[in-house]
Amino acid sequence: METSLELDVLIFPDEVRLVTPEDIAEWELETASQVSLPTPRVFVALYPYNPAAMSPNYETAAEELPFVPGQIIKVYGDKDDDGFYHGESGGLSGFVPSNLVAEVPVDDEHLKHLLMQQGFIPVDHTAGSTTDLSEASSIPDDLIVQRMVALFDYDPWESSPNMDSEVELGFRSGDIIYVIGEMDRDGFYYGALCGRRGLVPSNYLQPLPWD
């Protein structure tokens, strides 16, 4: 009984030799570098979205991405048949309802990177669209969202002066909190932290520059 053995060879003008493991590793590296990765598109949230309370798909709500107005979302690919994109924001990923977000018209890769790093931009509902950043040379300074750092731990159930402490956001010293809008008359902001949203006491926070 004859046994056949197949070998790969490399043919050069001046030699013929067997393929080595190093050759295969080099081919795989070259092939991987030629595969084009999908370029993320930049979207901004126009309205708040809490999947647990608002999702039309209760069974898959855990796979959706929560967000607040002005939040930047990286979107990959087109929306699916149900009208959802797949996006990433704030270290989380999930499905995003297309009717609550809008694409930011920016082609400059450096500006796109800054927007994603910043995490928020202003949203103008009265104009019916997002701020046009296609010709901007820098990030706007008059942001409606502030970045703050927590100076102390805060447990609403233990420290809150309010009866409805369940609407407040607990946090630890050093946490980065994104504050949306102005402080209310009770000294609270509306803030976002790691996908959670709620009221935060202003006297526990300190502004943190974006840069």
Side-chain angles (χ1 to χ4, degrees), residues 64-164:
E64 297 175 20
L65 186 69
F67 48 78
V68 295
Q71 187 170 335
I72 291 292
I73 302 171
K74 288 192 293 185
V75 165
Y76 296 90
D78 298 321
K79 60 184 176 183
D80 61 22
D81 294 337
D82 295 322
F84 281 74
Y85 293 109
H86 190 272
E88 298 178 359
S89 183
L92 303 175
S93 64
F95 293 103
V96 179
S98 59
N99 60 325
L100 300 182
V101 299
E103 187 165 6
V104 180
V106 54
D107 296 322
D108 183 87
E109 289 301 321
H110 177 63
L111 179 55
K112 183 183 294 186
H113 173 74
L114 290 178
L115 284 171
M116 292 178 180
Q117 186 179 50
Q118 173 180 290
F120 284 90
I121 62 172
V123 175
D124 183 4
H125 291 294
T126 60
S129 64
T130 60
T131 305
D132 185 358
L133 298 173
S134 57
E135 298 180 357
S137 58
S138 62
I139 301 299
D141 292 326
D142 54 343
L143 295 173
I144 61 171
V145 177
Q146 303 176 67
R147 190 171 70 151
M148 296 196 175
V149 59
L151 299 176
F152 316 100
D153 294 350
Y154 182 69
D155 183 347
W157 301 103
E158 295 182 0
S159 306
S160 176
N162 302 315
M163 296 294 293
D164 53 349

Side-chain angles (χ1 to χ4, degrees), residues 7-117:
L7 297 174
D8 292 323
V9 297
L10 289 176
I11 301 176
F12 296 97
D14 55 350
E15 69 170 328
V16 176
R17 65 177 175 82
L18 294 177
V19 174
T20 65
E22 289 75 15
D23 293 325
I24 295 175
E26 185 177 349
W27 291 342
E28 291 176 346
L29 183 61
E30 291 180 356
T31 302
S33 66
Q34 294 172 2
V35 175
S36 58
L37 298 175
T39 302
R41 297 152 66 192
V42 180
F43 280 66
V44 60
L46 300 178
Y47 306 96
Y49 185 63
N50 180 358
M54 302 169 63
S55 175
N57 309 308
Y58 177 77
E59 295 180 353
T60 59
E63 300 175 10
E64 297 175 20
L65 186 69
F67 48 78
V68 295
Q71 187 170 335
I72 291 292
I73 302 171
K74 288 192 293 185
V75 165
Y76 296 90
D78 298 321
K79 60 184 176 183
D80 61 22
D81 294 337
D82 295 322
F84 281 74
Y85 293 109
H86 190 272
E88 298 178 359
S89 183
L92 303 175
S93 64
F95 293 103
V96 179
S98 59
N99 60 325
L100 300 182
V101 299
E103 187 165 6
V104 180
V106 54
D107 296 322
D108 183 87
E109 289 301 321
H110 177 63
L111 179 55
K112 183 183 294 186
H113 173 74
L114 290 178
L115 284 171
M116 292 178 180
Q117 186 179 50

Side-chain angles (χ1 to χ4, degrees), residues 156-199:
W157 301 103
E158 295 182 0
S159 306
S160 176
N162 302 315
M163 296 294 293
D164 53 349
S165 57
E166 67 275 3
V167 300
E168 297 178 22
L169 184 65
F171 51 82
R172 293 186 175 277
S173 174
D175 282 346
I176 305 300
I177 301 173
Y178 295 97
V179 167
I180 302 141
E182 301 294 332
M183 180 175 62
D184 65 21
R185 61 184 180 182
D186 295 322
F188 280 75
Y189 289 109
Y190 183 75
L193 171 64
C194 298
R196 297 181 293 118
R197 314 283 183 262
L199 296 176

